Amino acid sequence: MSSPFLKQVFNKDKTFRPKRKFEPGTQRFELHKRAQASLNLPPGEELNDWVAVHVVDFFNRINLIYGTISDGCTEQSCPVMSGGPKYEYRWQDEHRFRKPTALSAPRYMDLLMDWVEVQINNEDVFPTNVGTPFPKSFLQAARKILSRLFRVFVHVYIHHFDRIAQMGSEAPVQRGLGSASEGSGQPVPPALKDMTARMCR
């Protein structure tokens, strides 16, 4: 059971961006509740719906964890968005940054969260009405969102873990990393190293 101090540190209102929520009574809300208990696709459920729920849940976890340390992640402390000395993450999008561009961590986070919110709110990518088909490119889009969001976990764990440990909140971050690794059961640092190599180049 979490201590009162941990609950205070990881206050649900202390997020980097507003949390995404599912409307009670909808199919996605029911899937969301089931997703909290398991990463496995329940029998009879549509894969794309299940993935969409987990993408939103992962986005909310990122908000919670980065929101906890965001005041210490500044242009001065993190002039480069990275996950240690071997991994520098450059930003690229369809509009302003057509080529991979080196940015500070906080600037990268702003652009990333804006970009993810646009994807999640786009009915052509994440349809919310039951019966509206997902685009054929949905799983590819979800994979791109998740791999970019995972970079935030890597950055926080590598560059801000001391601060999290001082607050006594390393356990929630490790749980978040464990969820991101699909319950691999691996200790966090090896799993982090492996996932970083595969997902965050």
Side-chain angles (χ1 to χ4, degrees):
M1 181 178 291
S2 298
S3 70
F5 177 70
L6 288 183
K7 290 180 181 177
Q8 180 180 358
V9 170
F10 279 82
N11 186 309
K12 66 179 181 179
D13 296 322
K14 188 176 183 181
T15 57
F16 184 53
R17 295 291 177 87
K19 289 181 68 175
R20 304 295 305 165
K21 296 182 180 179
F22 299 99
E23 291 297 321
T26 64
Q27 181 183 10
R28 290 274 173 84
F29 181 77
E30 295 304 316
L31 277 172
H32 169 69
K33 289 197 300 185
R34 294 168 77 180
Q36 300 301 305
S38 173
L39 288 175
N40 298 322
L41 176 66
E45 295 296 349
E46 171 62 38
L47 175 63
N48 287 340
D49 280 319
W50 191 243
V51 170
V53 165
H54 279 288
V55 168
V56 173
D57 183 59
F58 195 46
F59 175 75
N60 287 334
R61 288 172 186 261
I62 288 289
N63 271 316
L64 178 63
I65 290 172
Y66 187 69
T68 301
I69 60 91
S70 60
D71 58 342
C73 184
T74 65
E75 300 280 340
Q76 292 71 37
S77 66
C78 303
V80 175
M81 175 57 180
S82 64
K86 292 185 179 180
Y87 299 98
E88 178 183 335
Y89 309 130
R90 298 188 173 196
W91 182 255
Q92 183 176 13
D93 57 34
E94 300 81 16
H95 305 291
R96 191 167 160 199
F97 297 92
R98 302 259 176 177
K99 295 181 179 180
T101 305
L103 298 169
S104 69
R107 178 68 174 133
Y108 186 101
M109 303 298 181
D110 274 331
L111 290 169
L112 172 60
M113 295 304 178
D114 284 345
W115 178 79
V116 173
E117 284 186 323
V118 167
Q119 307 302 310
I120 290 174
N121 292 326
N122 185 343
E123 288 284 333
D124 293 332
V125 181
F126 277 76
T128 56
N129 294 326
V130 175
T132 302
F134 283 84
K136 292 181 179 179
S137 60
F138 171 71
L139 290 179
Q140 181 181 357
R143 189 176 298 115
K144 186 173 183 179
I145 291 169
L146 290 171
S147 66
R148 285 186 167 187
L149 286 174
F150 185 74
R151 295 173 180 181
V152 182
F153 272 125
V154 176
H155 178 79
V156 169
Y157 193 85
I158 297 294
H159 297 283
H160 301 285
F161 187 80
D162 286 349
R163 185 158 184 262
I164 291 171
Q166 287 172 0
M167 293 186 290
S169 50
E170 61 270 31
V173 174
Q174 290 183 359
R175 281 200 298 274
L177 285 165
S179 171
S181 65
E182 301 178 344
S184 67
Q186 296 288 323
V188 172
L192 182 66
K193 181 178 179 182
D194 178 57
M195 287 184 286
T196 302
R198 289 187 287 113
M199 297 176 64
C200 301
R201 291 178 181 167

